Amino acid sequence: MGHTRVVIVGGGFAGYHAAEQLAKNTGPDETEIILVNPTDYFLYLPLLPEVASGILDPRAITVSLAGTLPTVRLVLGEVDRIDPEARYLTYTDPEDNTGSVNFDRLILAAGSVNKLLPIPGLATHGHGFRGVPEALYFRDHVTRQIELAAATNDQAERDARCTFVVVGAGYTGTEIAAQGPEFTRILAERHPELRDQEIRWKLLDVAPRVLPGLDRRLSNTATDVLRKRGVELLTETSISEATENGVTLDSGQQVATRSLIWCVGVRPDPLVQSLGLDTTEGRVTVDETLTVPGYPHIFACGDAAGVPDRANPGRLTAMTAQHATRQGKLAGSNVLASLRGERLNGYHHRDLGFVVDLGAREAAANPLRIPLSGFTAKAVTRGYHLMAMPTNRLRVAIDWLLEATTKRQCVQLGMVRSGTVPLDTSSPELPNLRGEQEAQSSVRT
């Protein structure tokens, strides 16, 4: 088939596994593979809450793209524009230089960003959970709130700083709310001033139960654990406004807090809407082979793609790591098949179950539809994550061992400030240094 160039946009679950599949099944003399990504690593996102709570080192869940995909050429940058007809894209690198890349085949795996709602003050005072900068900011922020609470004699201020509001009881929100109380307990134990201080964690969701998209038995397990840890569950509830001093619930109740963690869900990367391609529910429309209709040289997968769900006719596959991983592998295989004139395969999947880490010795899991809880679920959950990670398994396991046998390290590093992790961003994996500079400039003027 001659020398061809395949360009992959995005190095998340879908993009990484597409690149890996291509690299394993073709050689550099046959196909040039280029991966365009804002960072030089693949982030194992499901373990991000453990980075935020100080259990894992962020380097343990970041997988080097160049180190694990040696035959793939990495281009650092954010894609600005894709021309499907002329077959080229433009990008901006980390130093604001622009460049372009031509392609014979394109795999669009741009992923997703925080989902926003038109709630006054949300974009300013809320913080999401989609990248390492956000997790590091969260760790520093929570640590700082406990330390400032200990330093003040104003009881109202102390109560506000010791109140943490998590909106969204899906995977991420539930895991954060479950692990948060232990983290703040460890922090508060270092301050005698907080000996009798109540530390409150609230988990809100408009659904009637936590983990609304999963089996009710998993939801019940998570609910029991959350309540045992003192988390206040406010179902069928959201917020109507966020300010510097707190949030207003849609019931009208005021909650004084300095911490609003937004985990309501995700939306496709804004790049999708700029392409001029057909979309379904905001995601690039593809057929079952992951090909974009009318553009046989373009494939899309993962959260950016509206992939038909064979198991649920008329619906799209969920925006999960399981689907993204499998779709990435299929996209890689189908690209090679299209180049070689072979038959393309359709996407189908078997539900392997879900795992939710609830911190300490608790988890909820249903591998192969077998509901588990407690220590057994914890072992299955951690085993699943270790198997799913491309590398760094030993580093993660060592961090887990240290967490079980030593005191957790809890200090503010001050490396990520609030203005660098805005909720409304197309690149949660990158700190928005320009936004911080603008904020500081407005303060000075």
Side-chain angles (χ1 to χ4, degrees), residues 76-93:
L76 279 181
E78 295 183 74
V79 174
D80 308 307
R81 178 172 177 262
I82 299 175
D83 189 323
E85 304 286 352
R87 301 194 183 195
Y88 79 93
L89 60 80
T90 61
Y91 65 90
T92 302
D93 74 14

Side-chain angles (χ1 to χ4, degrees), residues 266 280-281 283-284 286-288 290 300-327 347-350 354:
V266 296
T280 305
E281 297 180 16
R283 301 151 72 179
V284 174
V286 297
D287 61 25
E288 63 178 15
L290 310 184
C301 53
D303 291 354
V307 181
D309 189 346
R310 285 185 176 180
N312 298 283
R315 298 175 59 183
L316 304 181
T317 56
M319 298 166 77
T320 66
Q322 265 192 47
H323 282 300
T325 298
R326 295 167 177 172
Q327 290 169 12
Y347 180 68
H348 60 88
H349 65 92
R350 180 189 176 197
F354 299 92

